[in-house]
Amino acid sequence: MTPPTPSAAAPLEVTDESVDTSPAPSTPKGNESRSPGRLAWNRFKRDRTGVISACIVIFFFLIAICAPLISALYGKNPYDQYGQEIPGLLNDAGFPIKANGGIDGDFWFGVEPSMGRDVFTFLIYGIRTSLLIATATTLLVTVIGVIVGITAGYLGGRTDFIIGRIIDILLSFPSTLFFIAFMPVVYGLFVAPDEEIPTSLRATCLILVLTAFGWASIARLLRGQVLALREREFVEAAKVTGASPARIIFKELLPNLWTPILIQSTLMLPAFVTAEAGLAFLGVGIIDPTPDWGVMIQRGATFYTDDITFMIFPGVSMIIFVLAFNLLGDSVRDALDPKSKR
């Protein structure tokens, strides 16, 4: 008699307790665990144009911040007239004797025609002046534009109508012509016509006037954004729960507006750099002997037929900075909003 064989259909049970049958913990894949800011930063790092532009912009700002230190290490300043104090630098006509604007080991970028100032220190201090005015103006314009734009868009009604008409009026002004005509009036409010205008007052008035006519564009953009956002479900839900207007603005609306605010700011700063330099070139902004990009280009335009070297350095440096900042603004826009690819 043979013993019974196990049925083929009978399941085999595994009783090894060492085998862990618990489900493996779920691990986030790809971009699930990354914040929107982290994702934008990763996209920006992959943009070679944006990274190079950011390095150039940072370099210019470091030059502006460290201008006094660089000048001290270099051993010269932008105010002394070395060409008139040191023989052998300028000829009888006031132009550098040496080739290429007098460039040598002592004067890296040469000497200025006529007055004989050092071009290198005049340039780095000029970058400092221009970037200081443009950066201060950009910050003020951004703050005012954000406040006005959100207020108009969120409150709506009569408030939105009044602010909208003010914005339309400001945007209709021919800004350059108005600056030329209005800047002397602004100076006359603080200083008598026969008194010399301090450089600090000129810079302050430039910042105020540029700010007064610069906030309208960003305010109009944010107003339109807020008009669309205030009808969204999350804003309506916040209102139903009894959230105050301040909480709705700062907790619900403002976090959704950082992208247009940042993009507009990066595009406005180079525009203010060129506007400030243009006013200095026309003689209604910063004037000689204060170092400034516009002052250097104005002085260089006087001598370019005989010696173009003095005009090359401020012109090329301004083109590089403005181009780099504009490319940086485009890269920031693409990183924050990947749907808007160039």
Side-chain angles (χ1 to χ4, degrees), residues 13 24 77 84 97 101 125 148 179 209 240 273 294 301 310 326 332 335:
E13 296 183 359
N77 64 76
Q84 298 182 7
I97 295 177
Y125 272 87
V148 175
F179 289 150
V209 172
V240 170
V273 167
F310 183 68
N326 284 328
V332 170

Side-chain angles (χ1 to χ4, degrees), residues 21-309:
T21 59
S22 61
S26 60
T27 56
K29 296 181 180 180
N31 297 331
E32 295 179 5
S33 63
R34 300 178 184 177
S35 64
R38 183 69 177 176
L39 294 174
W41 173 245
N42 289 338
R43 285 192 292 267
F44 178 79
K45 288 191 299 183
R46 291 194 295 267
D47 189 345
R48 182 175 299 179
T49 301
V51 172
I52 295 175
S53 300
C55 292
I56 294 174
V57 169
I58 293 172
F59 172 76
F60 272 90
F61 274 96
L62 288 176
I63 290 293
I65 294 172
C66 301
L69 177 60
I70 297 174
S71 177
L73 295 175
Y74 180 58
K76 296 179 179 63
N77 64 76
Y79 301 103
D80 287 349
Q81 300 178 8
Y82 299 98
Q84 298 182 7
E85 298 171 358
I86 302 175
L89 292 180
L90 300 179
N91 57 24
D92 295 337
F95 292 99
I97 295 177
K98 297 181 179 179
N100 301 319
I103 296 177
D104 59 14
D106 294 327
F107 298 92
W108 295 351
F109 288 1
V111 292
E112 176 193 15
S114 179
M115 301 185 70
R117 292 175 293 195
D118 178 67
V119 176
F120 177 72
T121 53
F122 203 88
L123 177 62
I124 61 175
Y125 272 87
I127 294 174
R128 179 186 180 92
T129 302
S130 296
L131 291 188
L132 173 63
I133 295 174
T135 303
T137 304
T138 302
L139 292 175
L140 289 175
V141 164
T142 302
V143 171
I144 296 174
V146 168
I147 294 174
V148 175
I150 292 179
T151 301
Y154 182 75
L155 296 181
R158 185 178 296 274
T159 302
D160 183 29
F161 177 80
I162 295 174
I163 293 177
R165 300 297 75 75
I166 294 174
I167 292 175
D168 292 337
I169 293 172
L170 290 177
L171 293 178
S172 66
F173 273 104
S175 56
T176 303
L177 294 177
F178 186 81
F179 289 150
I180 297 173
F182 192 66
M183 287 305 298
V185 178
V186 176
Y187 297 144
L189 297 176
F190 301 97
V191 178
D194 57 343
E195 294 182 5
E196 184 178 354
I197 304 172
T199 301
S200 59
L201 179 60
R202 285 184 176 273
T204 303
C205 291
L206 275 174
I207 293 172
L208 293 177
V209 172
L210 290 173
T211 301
F213 290 91
W215 60 267
S217 58
I218 186 172
R220 168 174 281 186
L221 173 66
L222 295 180
R223 169 190 171 272
Q225 297 282 338
V226 173
L227 286 174
L229 288 173
R230 71 177 186 177
E231 305 299 332
R232 300 282 293 274
E233 292 81 1
F234 62 91
V235 176
E236 294 295 335
K239 292 179 180 179
V240 170
T241 58
S244 63
R247 179 176 178 82
I248 293 175
I249 290 174
F250 287 102
K251 295 294 185 180
E252 306 296 340
L253 295 178
L254 196 56
N256 292 280
L257 297 173
W258 283 119
T259 296
I261 291 173
L262 189 57
I263 292 173
Q264 284 296 110
S265 299
T266 56
L267 296 177
M268 283 192 302
L269 193 145
F272 286 130
V273 167
T274 55
E276 185 276 332
L279 293 176
F281 181 85
L282 296 172
V284 294
I286 301 299
I287 62 172
D288 195 45
T290 303
D292 183 85
W293 253 329
V295 171
M296 291 193 73
I297 295 176
Q298 179 196 48
R299 295 277 299 167
T302 308
F303 307 111
Y304 81 94
T305 54
D306 297 293
D307 190 348
I308 199 174
T309 308

